[in-house]
Amino acid sequence: MRRFLLLYATQRGQAKAIAEEISEQAASHGFSADLHCVSESDKYDLKAETAPLVVVVSTTGTGDPPDTARKFVKEIQDKTLPADFFAHLRYGLLGLGDSEYAYFCNGGKVIDKRLQELGAQHFYDTGYADDCVGLELVVEPWIAGLWAALQKHFMSSRGQEETSRPLPRPPNAPLDTDPMRPELLHIESQVELLRVDEPERKASESLDQDGRNGSPSSGLIEACEPSLVHSVPPLSEAALSVPALPLEYLQVHLQEPLGQEESHAPEASGGPVFRVPISKAAQLTSDEAVKTTLLLELDISKTEFSYQPGDSFNVVCPNNGSEVDDLLRRLRLTDQREHRVLVKVKADSKKKGAALPQHVPEKCSLQFLLTWCLEIRAVPKKALVRALAACASSAAEKRRLQELCSKQGAADYNRFVRDARACLLDLLLAFPSCQPPLGLLLEHLPKLQPRPYSCASSSLLHPGKLHFVFNVVEFASHSAEVWRKGVCTGWLATLAAHFLQPGMPASSPAGSGGAPAPQISISPRAPSSFHLPADPSAPVIMVGPGTGIAPFIGFLQHREKLQEEHPRGHFGEMWLFYGCRHQHKDYLFREELRRFLKHGVLTHLKVSFSRDAPSSEEEAPAKYVQDNLQLHSQQVARILLQENGYVYVCGDAKNMAKDVSDTLVEIVSRETGVDKLEAMRTLATLKEEKRYLQDIWS
């Protein structure tokens, strides 16, 4: 078979899963994929590589390559490399990203651009898959077109020896062998979505069990409306293009416990992990606020954990205990929850490169595995849905699961699985005849990831302490019968409940009597540039609505202490543009901000309330932070363009960060008299100079 090198750079496992899918499909098209993580540099050599290269790259943070690609990117960015260093390479690249972030697919774009600068050439055009609308909309047609592009490459490079019978053409692959361009991939994906009728009205919130099984007693509403468990024409009558059944490769055995099992503290998985007590908790919002915002203080005095304002860190969290119990019950494994999980690769597995999941500890209990290791809340990928279909004994349920993972059912998958944030437990409860083996879960469920939070304090003001702020996430479960809380925020809220009870002290000094303070595990994140300027005289603009204010509280605390220590020092202006819904319900850190303003640490405070009418001299007549930026456009332009100032943006990526970016473009354009394209170039320069910095999330 004709070999190609297949590399992936992954942060949370998506790029790896897609690369493995490509590898598994390769044999049926007459190719052999040599699959490696890009970090495994001892297993491949691009300088000496003669076969075509296929790369799948994800993006992390606000546009960085994944951690597994950091070393690779650093090596190829070496300025001493000649322009023809990779002139022999022919490659195709698939980038994964989320268009809610400003630097969409930037991890892939960085590698793609540098490979071309070093002489490498495409044999297949780059694809950009968007997790905001569904990666599969681009991934599936990109993979389908890959085989024709590889065929063309081998025919052109090896001549007549490759003129044997043509390879089978995958469904909907391009008729010619010219590689599809990324924009066509996106357009074709959208066209596929439009072929499926998607009624606008939501499906009924609850269905009886007979309805779920598709029996004749189903109600009239179900017969007319699609739902997670029920389809309507044309999908219900369509011939389906269903993905191949994923190859099984894990064998799991549950062994009775021999005594004391592992402690219920998560193990470190790369990098230092610190176990620290919660020393204080406070609710920052009123009980009438739309969202509940909590502040937690951690006692880090007995650890080597250190930070500076603007840093972020990870919190290692468990899955919700009741959901773990429900999953064990549904899998009929409740009585074996304390059994040890013994996992090995099946000897007869046909999956290429099959290996044990690194996030499954050796001989841990089943309870520990589901609580600390697997992301049981993850939205099931189509490969998992396909595997579940094979485990369903009901013909009606098998058909519906096949629809949800099929090309024809893309709209239903997006509506009832992806957009509804359904999880494995939701599917198992909705399809009761489905009884998957435990090994299938280990093969498909990703690692339970730690959750990142911004530091909301300065160690100068709070030595030995670390503050962070979060909204307690709440959303309706798929059945709409139960409200779920965020995996991490719900757990943290439970730990904080003791401090928040009426009559209880907000803080619990270490070593005090009574019940021990609850502890959590934290780890530092990779360093970022989101720090105060090295020159304290440089002016600073901070934009942070809602909990986006967190790092700026650390900035202001830090600046306050510096000004106390250096009373004759020269410190630049500090502007804060803050916003929330209601002045009297969710105005975070109100008193502290007023103190900063009074003491001259904060020189300008501009607050907007999106649901209130202006009611005091402190607020400008603006609903959102971008409105206040527009009201002070001359000062903003002066600071950024004339005084070499810095602008920091923290908060929601989906709406706020984009709106703020568009507003800054308008301000630069209007105040300097240039067109918007030139204004965008100016902002791009600020980003390159690390004077326009973002800490955003979706």
Side-chain angles (χ1 to χ4, degrees):
M1 288 190 181
R2 293 156 296 183
R3 170 187 169 275
F4 65 95
L5 178 61
L6 176 56
L7 300 180
Y8 64 86
T10 191
Q11 187 71 22
R12 304 186 66 173
Q14 287 184 319
K16 179 182 180 183
I18 291 169
E20 288 176 341
E21 174 67 20
I22 294 172
S23 177
E24 290 171 8
Q25 289 190 29
S28 64
H29 294 277
F31 300 102
S32 173
D34 188 7
L35 175 65
H36 302 291
C37 177
V38 74
S39 64
E40 299 173 315
S41 55
D42 58 324
K43 297 181 179 179
Y44 65 91
D45 182 4
L46 290 187
K47 180 57 180 172
E49 187 59 66
T50 58
L53 168 67
V54 176
V55 190
V56 184
V57 187
S58 65
T59 298
T60 188
T62 54
D64 301 318
D67 293 343
T68 54
R70 286 180 181 271
K71 182 180 177 183
F72 175 80
V73 171
K74 183 177 180 181
E75 289 174 350
I76 65 173
Q77 295 285 18
D78 184 350
K79 300 299 183 182
T80 65
L81 296 178
D84 61 351
F85 188 74
F86 286 142
H88 59 288
L89 270 185
R90 300 296 179 267
Y91 75 100
L93 186 143
L94 176 61
L96 313 181
D98 188 328
S99 60
E100 289 185 351
Y101 289 83
Y103 297 102
F104 172 60
C105 281
N106 199 56
K109 291 176 180 178
V110 166
I111 293 175
D112 194 15
K113 179 182 178 183
R114 186 56 179 159
L115 288 178
Q116 291 186 68
E117 290 174 348
L118 294 175
Q121 298 179 35
H122 289 127
F123 76 85
Y124 187 39
D125 281 305
T126 300
Y128 298 113
D130 185 1
D131 200 29
C132 182
V133 297
L135 294 174
E136 69 278 358
L137 298 185
V138 167
V139 170
E140 291 176 4
W142 192 89
I143 294 176
L146 173 64
W147 314 117
L150 280 168
Q151 170 76 349
K152 179 179 179 180
H153 169 79
F154 279 108
M155 289 181 67
S156 63
S157 61
R158 298 185 181 178
Q160 294 303 312
E161 64 178 305
E162 296 296 340
T163 58
S164 58
R165 65 181 180 83
L167 296 173
R169 189 170 59 87
N172 296 317
L175 292 175
D176 59 10
T177 54
D178 288 334
M180 290 197 294
R181 298 193 176 278
E183 59 267 26
L184 294 181
L185 289 172
H186 182 69
I187 292 170
E188 292 201 1
S189 300
Q190 297 302 317
V191 170
E192 284 300 324
L193 276 180
L194 296 175
R195 291 175 184 166
V196 182
D197 180 30
E198 185 181 336
E200 294 180 1
R201 221 155 38 101
K202 290 186 176 180
S204 58
E205 291 188 345
S206 61
L207 297 169
D208 59 26
Q209 192 61 49
D210 290 336
R212 286 177 176 166
N213 286 326
S215 72
S217 63
S218 302
L220 182 61
I221 292 180
E222 183 187 355
C224 300
E225 267 185 34
S227 68
L228 176 64
V229 297
H230 179 80
S231 62
V232 297
L235 178 59
S236 61
E237 301 170 352
L240 301 177
S241 174
V242 178
L245 184 65
L247 296 172
E248 296 181 5
Y249 65 96
L250 292 181
Q251 182 175 323
V252 180
H253 174 67
L254 295 178
Q255 181 186 74
E256 288 193 31
L258 302 176
Q260 184 65 33
E261 299 300 316
E262 80 292 318
S263 72
H264 289 275
E267 297 179 2
S269 56
V273 175
F274 302 95
R275 189 81 174 156
V276 296
I278 299 174
S279 53
K280 179 181 177 181
Q283 181 171 319
L284 303 183
T285 49
S286 73
D287 292 337
E288 295 77 33
V290 174
K291 298 178 181 179
T292 298
T293 305
L294 301 180
L295 177 146
L296 294 190
E297 177 184 84
L298 305 178
D299 184 350
I300 60 173
S301 60
K302 297 179 181 179
T303 73
E304 296 181 358
F305 186 93
S306 63
Y307 69 97
Q308 49 180 314
D311 282 346
S312 57
F313 64 99
N314 287 323
V315 172
V316 181
C317 61
N319 286 307
N320 179 274
S322 63
E323 291 176 37
V324 172
D325 291 342
D326 290 342
L327 185 56
L328 284 166
R329 190 178 304 112
R330 178 59 183 79
L331 295 171
R332 302 173 187 170
L333 293 172
T334 300
D335 293 341
Q336 297 170 279
R337 64 194 316 148
E338 296 302 331
H339 283 43
R340 288 184 171 192
V341 181
L342 306 180
V343 188
K344 64 179 182 179
V345 175
K346 288 184 175 181
D348 59 349
S349 175
K350 297 180 180 179
K351 180 179 175 65
K352 188 173 182 180
L356 296 177
Q358 295 183 356
H359 55 278
V360 177
E362 186 177 357
K363 298 181 181 179
C364 69
S365 72
L366 178 57
Q367 176 89 31
F368 185 89
L369 176 71
L370 296 179
T371 302
W372 290 103
C373 305
L374 301 180
E375 189 92 55
I376 65 173
R377 279 272 193 90
V379 174
K381 302 295 183 187
K382 287 187 176 181
L384 174 54
V385 179
R386 175 66 182 89
L388 292 176
C391 300
S393 58
S394 161
E397 291 182 10
K398 184 185 294 286
R399 163 72 190 196
R400 182 53 176 157
L401 287 166
Q402 289 175 341
E403 289 173 351
L404 290 171
C405 67
S406 70
K407 185 172 185 178
Q408 293 76 14
D412 273 24
Y413 172 84
N414 285 342
R415 178 178 177 183
F416 300 116
V417 180
R418 183 178 179 277
D419 296 345
R421 292 195 285 186
C423 63
L424 172 67
L425 181 60
D426 292 324
L427 293 189
L428 292 180
L429 293 176
F431 299 94
S433 80
C434 180
Q435 197 63 34
L438 182 59
L440 187 144
L441 274 60
L442 270 64
E443 290 169 355
H444 290 275
L445 289 180
K447 175 186 177 183
L448 178 58
Q449 296 285 342
R451 271 45 175 180
Y453 293 93
S454 299
C455 300
S457 54
S458 167
S459 57
L460 293 183
L461 185 63
H462 298 284
K465 298 292 191 290
L466 168 62
H467 293 184
F468 68 105
V469 177
F470 58 92
N471 290 326
V472 181
V473 177
E474 292 187 271
F475 60 97
S477 66
H478 198 277
S479 67
E481 297 169 359
V482 181
W483 277 81
R484 285 180 178 153
K485 291 185 177 180
V487 172
C488 191
T489 63
W491 174 63
L492 291 172
T494 300
L495 297 180
H498 168 77
F499 297 94
L500 303 177
Q501 293 174 3
M504 295 298 293
S507 59
S508 175
S512 63
Q519 294 189 331
I520 66 174
S521 294
I522 64 172
S523 62
R525 301 191 76 211
S528 73
S529 302
F530 201 87
H531 296 138
L532 282 167
D535 179 5
S537 67
V540 167
I541 296 171
M542 300 168 286
V543 184
T547 56
I549 196 175
F552 304 135
I553 295 298
F555 280 12
L556 292 165
Q557 290 178 357
H558 198 77
R559 177 61 64 87
E560 182 179 42
K561 293 299 292 185
L562 289 179
Q563 291 185 197
E564 288 177 3
E565 295 171 1
H566 306 280
R568 297 180 181 275
H570 176 51
F571 296 93
E573 293 178 81
M574 294 197 81
W575 288 67
L576 174 62
F577 292 86
Y578 174 69
C580 60
R581 287 181 174 85
H582 300 283
Q583 178 180 186
H584 299 296
K585 295 180 181 180
D586 53 6
Y587 187 165
L588 308 183
F589 299 102
R590 177 175 184 148
E591 298 308 315
E592 193 164 358
L593 290 175
R594 286 181 167 176
R595 179 173 60 80
F596 289 137
L597 194 64
K598 180 180 178 180
H599 294 170
V601 178
L602 184 60
T603 51
H604 300 84
L605 175 60
K606 305 301 174 184
V607 187
S608 52
F609 303 107
S610 61
R611 304 294 187 271
D612 286 344
S615 57
S616 75
E617 61 184 26
E618 182 179 84
E619 295 91 40
K623 287 184 66 176
Y624 303 107
V625 287
Q626 59 267 27
D627 299 330
N628 257 329
L629 285 168
Q630 290 280 19
L631 289 172
H632 300 86
S633 60
Q634 292 183 356
Q635 296 95 321
V636 169
R638 167 180 57 79
I639 289 171
L640 294 181
L641 305 180
Q642 298 176 24
E643 300 178 3
N644 291 321
Y646 292 69
V647 59
Y648 299 83
V649 180
C650 183
D652 167 49
K654 186 174 182 179
N655 298 308
M656 183 277 300
K658 285 185 175 181
D659 291 341
V660 168
S661 180
D662 292 343
T663 298
L664 291 175
V665 168
E666 292 178 16
I667 288 173
V668 171
S669 174
R670 181 171 62 251
E671 299 299 330
T672 62
V674 301
D675 60 27
K676 288 192 175 180
L677 181 59
E678 186 60 33
M680 292 171 68
R681 291 195 183 102
T682 299
L683 284 185
T685 300
L686 292 179
K687 290 177 181 178
E688 290 176 2
E689 296 174 350
K690 306 295 185 185
R691 292 200 293 121
Y692 178 8
L693 296 155
Q694 295 177 304
D695 180 7
I696 56 178
W697 58 83
S698 58

mmCIF file of all heavy atoms in Angstrom, residues 564-585:
data_model
loop_
_atom_site.group_PDB
_atom_site.id
_atom_site.type_symbol
_atom_site.label_atom_id
_atom_site.label_comp_id
_atom_site.label_asym_id
_atom_site.label_seq_id
_atom_site.Cartn_x
_atom_site.Cartn_y
_atom_site.Cartn_z
ATOM 1 N N GLU A 564 1.757 52.520 46.803
ATOM 2 C CA GLU A 564 2.052 52.728 48.216
ATOM 3 C C GLU A 564 3.551 52.615 48.470
ATOM 4 O O GLU A 564 4.116 53.384 49.265
ATOM 5 C CB GLU A 564 1.301 51.699 49.065
ATOM 6 C CG GLU A 564 -0.195 51.920 49.150
ATOM 7 C CD GLU A 564 -0.880 50.830 49.955
ATOM 8 O OE1 GLU A 564 -0.166 49.945 50.491
ATOM 9 O OE2 GLU A 564 -2.123 50.845 50.041
ATOM 10 N N GLU A 565 4.184 51.656 47.797
ATOM 11 C CA GLU A 565 5.615 51.431 47.997
ATOM 12 C C GLU A 565 6.471 52.480 47.300
ATOM 13 O O GLU A 565 7.614 52.727 47.695
ATOM 14 C CB GLU A 565 5.995 50.034 47.491
ATOM 15 C CG GLU A 565 5.348 48.894 48.281
ATOM 16 C CD GLU A 565 5.557 47.538 47.617
ATOM 17 O OE1 GLU A 565 6.225 47.509 46.552
ATOM 18 O OE2 GLU A 565 5.057 46.525 48.148
ATOM 19 N N HIS A 566 5.943 53.089 46.229
ATOM 20 C CA HIS A 566 6.701 54.085 45.453
ATOM 21 C C HIS A 566 5.855 55.349 45.292
ATOM 22 O O HIS A 566 5.372 55.665 44.187
ATOM 23 C CB HIS A 566 7.083 53.520 44.079
ATOM 24 C CG HIS A 566 7.821 52.219 44.136
ATOM 25 N ND1 HIS A 566 9.170 52.140 44.414
ATOM 26 C CD2 HIS A 566 7.381 50.941 43.971
ATOM 27 C CE1 HIS A 566 9.532 50.862 44.402
ATOM 28 N NE2 HIS A 566 8.478 50.121 44.141
ATOM 29 N N PRO A 567 5.681 56.105 46.369
ATOM 30 C CA PRO A 567 4.790 57.275 46.316
ATOM 31 C C PRO A 567 5.247 58.346 45.340
ATOM 32 O O PRO A 567 4.434 59.160 44.900
ATOM 33 C CB PRO A 567 4.797 57.786 47.765
ATOM 34 C CG PRO A 567 6.046 57.227 48.377
ATOM 35 C CD PRO A 567 6.276 55.916 47.707
ATOM 36 N N ARG A 568 6.527 58.370 44.999
ATOM 37 C CA ARG A 568 7.026 59.365 44.044
ATOM 38 C C ARG A 568 7.101 58.813 42.618
ATOM 39 O O ARG A 568 7.541 59.501 41.704
ATOM 40 C CB ARG A 568 8.420 59.847 44.475
ATOM 41 C CG ARG A 568 8.441 60.567 45.825
ATOM 42 C CD ARG A 568 9.847 61.010 46.180
ATOM 43 N NE ARG A 568 9.898 61.673 47.464
ATOM 44 C CZ ARG A 568 9.640 62.973 47.649
ATOM 45 N NH1 ARG A 568 9.340 63.732 46.621
ATOM 46 N NH2 ARG A 568 9.698 63.489 48.866
ATOM 47 N N GLY A 569 6.679 57.584 42.439
ATOM 48 C CA GLY A 569 6.747 56.960 41.118
ATOM 49 C C GLY A 569 5.735 57.554 40.149
ATOM 50 O O GLY A 569 4.740 58.174 40.541
ATOM 51 N N HIS A 570 6.019 57.338 38.861
ATOM 52 C CA HIS A 570 5.116 57.827 37.813
ATOM 53 C C HIS A 570 4.315 56.640 37.286
ATOM 54 O O HIS A 570 4.870 55.693 36.747
ATOM 55 C CB HIS A 570 5.910 58.481 36.679
ATOM 56 C CG HIS A 570 5.048 58.919 35.527
ATOM 57 N ND1 HIS A 570 3.920 59.697 35.703
ATOM 58 C CD2 HIS A 570 5.147 58.690 34.191
ATOM 59 C CE1 HIS A 570 3.362 59.923 34.521
ATOM 60 N NE2 HIS A 570 4.098 59.317 33.591
ATOM 61 N N PHE A 571 2.994 56.712 37.466
ATOM 62 C CA PHE A 571 2.122 55.626 37.047
ATOM 63 C C PHE A 571 1.127 56.136 36.011
ATOM 64 O O PHE A 571 0.552 57.215 36.164
ATOM 65 C CB PHE A 571 1.377 55.046 38.254
ATOM 66 C CG PHE A 571 2.290 54.404 39.259
ATOM 67 C CD1 PHE A 571 2.780 55.130 40.340
ATOM 68 C CD2 PHE A 571 2.673 53.080 39.120
ATOM 69 C CE1 PHE A 571 3.625 54.550 41.266
ATOM 70 C CE2 PHE A 571 3.520 52.485 40.043
ATOM 71 C CZ PHE A 571 4.005 53.219 41.119
ATOM 72 N N GLY A 572 0.961 55.354 34.964
ATOM 73 C CA GLY A 572 0.069 55.748 33.876
ATOM 74 C C GLY A 572 -1.404 55.647 34.242
ATOM 75 O O GLY A 572 -1.786 55.061 35.261
ATOM 76 N N GLU A 573 -2.243 56.243 33.389
ATOM 77 C CA GLU A 573 -3.693 56.181 33.588
ATOM 78 C C GLU A 573 -4.165 54.727 33.573
ATOM 79 O O GLU A 573 -3.614 53.880 32.872
ATOM 80 C CB GLU A 573 -4.421 56.919 32.460
ATOM 81 C CG GLU A 573 -4.225 58.415 32.415
ATOM 82 C CD GLU A 573 -4.973 58.998 31.219
ATOM 83 O OE1 GLU A 573 -6.205 59.201 31.330
ATOM 84 O OE2 GLU A 573 -4.336 59.214 30.175
ATOM 85 N N MET A 574 -5.223 54.462 34.342
ATOM 86 C CA MET A 574 -5.865 53.157 34.312
ATOM 87 C C MET A 574 -7.366 53.359 34.113
ATOM 88 O O MET A 574 -8.046 53.911 34.988
ATOM 89 C CB MET A 574 -5.595 52.358 35.592
ATOM 90 C CG MET A 574 -4.136 51.974 35.774
ATOM 91 S SD MET A 574 -3.890 50.646 36.984
ATOM 92 C CE MET A 574 -4.257 49.205 35.995
ATOM 93 N N TRP A 575 -7.839 52.949 32.951
ATOM 94 C CA TRP A 575 -9.256 53.051 32.607
ATOM 95 C C TRP A 575 -9.887 51.664 32.742
ATOM 96 O O TRP A 575 -9.317 50.669 32.290
ATOM 97 C CB TRP A 575 -9.431 53.500 31.152
ATOM 98 C CG TRP A 575 -9.090 54.926 30.869
ATOM 99 C CD1 TRP A 575 -7.857 55.514 30.926
ATOM 100 C CD2 TRP A 575 -9.995 55.946 30.434
ATOM 101 N NE1 TRP A 575 -7.937 56.833 30.563
ATOM 102 C CE2 TRP A 575 -9.245 57.127 30.249
ATOM 103 C CE3 TRP A 575 -11.365 55.980 30.181
ATOM 104 C CZ2 TRP A 575 -9.827 58.319 29.829
ATOM 105 C CZ3 TRP A 575 -11.942 57.169 29.751
ATOM 106 C CH2 TRP A 575 -11.173 58.326 29.588
ATOM 107 N N LEU A 576 -11.063 51.599 33.334
ATOM 108 C CA LEU A 576 -11.805 50.343 33.390
ATOM 109 C C LEU A 576 -13.197 50.548 32.803
ATOM 110 O O LEU A 576 -13.947 51.413 33.246
ATOM 111 C CB LEU A 576 -11.935 49.836 34.832
ATOM 112 C CG LEU A 576 -12.826 48.590 35.013
ATOM 113 C CD1 LEU A 576 -12.252 47.396 34.244
ATOM 114 C CD2 LEU A 576 -13.006 48.249 36.486
ATOM 115 N N PHE A 577 -13.504 49.751 31.786
ATOM 116 C CA PHE A 577 -14.839 49.717 31.195
ATOM 117 C C PHE A 577 -15.496 48.421 31.677
ATOM 118 O O PHE A 577 -15.109 47.327 31.262
ATOM 119 C CB PHE A 577 -14.766 49.757 29.672
ATOM 120 C CG PHE A 577 -14.271 51.070 29.134
ATOM 121 C CD1 PHE A 577 -12.903 51.320 28.998
ATOM 122 C CD2 PHE A 577 -15.159 52.069 28.766
ATOM 123 C CE1 PHE A 577 -12.435 52.526 28.509
ATOM 124 C CE2 PHE A 577 -14.699 53.289 28.269
ATOM 125 C CZ PHE A 577 -13.338 53.522 28.144
ATOM 126 N N TYR A 578 -16.469 48.592 32.563
ATOM 127 C CA TYR A 578 -17.117 47.432 33.172
ATOM 128 C C TYR A 578 -18.606 47.467 32.866
ATOM 129 O O TYR A 578 -19.197 48.540 32.705
ATOM 130 C CB TYR A 578 -16.900 47.437 34.697
ATOM 131 C CG TYR A 578 -17.663 46.356 35.416
ATOM 132 C CD1 TYR A 578 -17.319 45.020 35.268
ATOM 133 C CD2 TYR A 578 -18.750 46.678 36.237
ATOM 134 C CE1 TYR A 578 -18.032 44.024 35.921
ATOM 135 C CE2 TYR A 578 -19.467 45.689 36.894
ATOM 136 C CZ TYR A 578 -19.107 44.360 36.723
ATOM 137 O OH TYR A 578 -19.816 43.388 37.355
ATOM 138 N N GLY A 579 -19.226 46.296 32.792
ATOM 139 C CA GLY A 579 -20.655 46.234 32.524
ATOM 140 C C GLY A 579 -21.294 45.034 33.188
ATOM 141 O O GLY A 579 -20.653 44.007 33.415
ATOM 142 N N CYS A 580 -22.569 45.174 33.524
ATOM 143 C CA CYS A 580 -23.360 44.071 34.077
ATOM 144 C C CYS A 580 -24.826 44.349 33.755
ATOM 145 O O CYS A 580 -25.149 45.341 33.104
ATOM 146 C CB CYS A 580 -23.130 43.919 35.574
ATOM 147 S SG CYS A 580 -23.564 45.377 36.545
ATOM 148 N N ARG A 581 -25.712 43.493 34.243
ATOM 149 C CA ARG A 581 -27.126 43.673 33.933
ATOM 150 C C ARG A 581 -27.764 44.769 34.788
ATOM 151 O O ARG A 581 -28.376 45.691 34.275
ATOM 152 C CB ARG A 581 -27.881 42.350 34.123
ATOM 153 C CG ARG A 581 -27.613 41.304 33.060
ATOM 154 C CD ARG A 581 -28.437 40.044 33.333
ATOM 155 N NE ARG A 581 -28.306 39.066 32.258
ATOM 156 C CZ ARG A 581 -27.332 38.176 32.179
ATOM 157 N NH1 ARG A 581 -26.388 38.145 33.123
ATOM 158 N NH2 ARG A 581 -27.265 37.323 31.170
ATOM 159 N N HIS A 582 -27.634 44.626 36.112
ATOM 160 C CA HIS A 582 -28.365 45.499 37.032
ATOM 161 C C HIS A 582 -27.428 46.082 38.092
ATOM 162 O O HIS A 582 -26.632 45.370 38.692
ATOM 163 C CB HIS A 582 -29.478 44.716 37.741
ATOM 164 C CG HIS A 582 -30.491 44.124 36.827
ATOM 165 N ND1 HIS A 582 -31.483 44.863 36.228
ATOM 166 C CD2 HIS A 582 -30.673 42.841 36.397
ATOM 167 C CE1 HIS A 582 -32.228 44.072 35.475
ATOM 168 N NE2 HIS A 582 -31.764 42.847 35.564
ATOM 169 N N GLN A 583 -27.578 47.352 38.336
ATOM 170 C CA GLN A 583 -26.728 48.055 39.292
ATOM 171 C C GLN A 583 -26.815 47.465 40.696
ATOM 172 O O GLN A 583 -25.810 47.363 41.403
ATOM 173 C CB GLN A 583 -27.127 49.529 39.324
ATOM 174 C CG GLN A 583 -26.343 50.357 40.321
ATOM 175 C CD GLN A 583 -26.766 51.807 40.307
ATOM 176 O OE1 GLN A 583 -26.169 52.650 40.957
ATOM 177 N NE2 GLN A 583 -27.816 52.115 39.564
ATOM 178 N N HIS A 584 -27.987 47.042 41.100
ATOM 179 C CA HIS A 584 -28.181 46.601 42.482
ATOM 180 C C HIS A 584 -28.256 45.081 42.616
ATOM 181 O O HIS A 584 -28.568 44.578 43.694
ATOM 182 C CB HIS A 584 -29.458 47.228 43.059
ATOM 183 C CG HIS A 584 -29.422 48.721 43.083
ATOM 184 N ND1 HIS A 584 -28.512 49.429 43.851
ATOM 185 C CD2 HIS A 584 -30.157 49.647 42.394
ATOM 186 C CE1 HIS A 584 -28.704 50.724 43.661
ATOM 187 N NE2 HIS A 584 -29.690 50.887 42.786
ATOM 188 N N LYS A 585 -27.960 44.348 41.538
ATOM 189 C CA LYS A 585 -28.047 42.891 41.606
ATOM 190 C C LYS A 585 -26.728 42.191 41.288
ATOM 191 O O LYS A 585 -26.387 41.194 41.926
ATOM 192 C CB LYS A 585 -29.135 42.377 40.646
ATOM 193 C CG LYS A 585 -30.542 42.822 41.007
ATOM 194 C CD LYS A 585 -31.553 42.268 40.000
ATOM 195 C CE LYS A 585 -32.961 42.730 40.334
ATOM 196 N NZ LYS A 585 -33.961 42.200 39.365
#
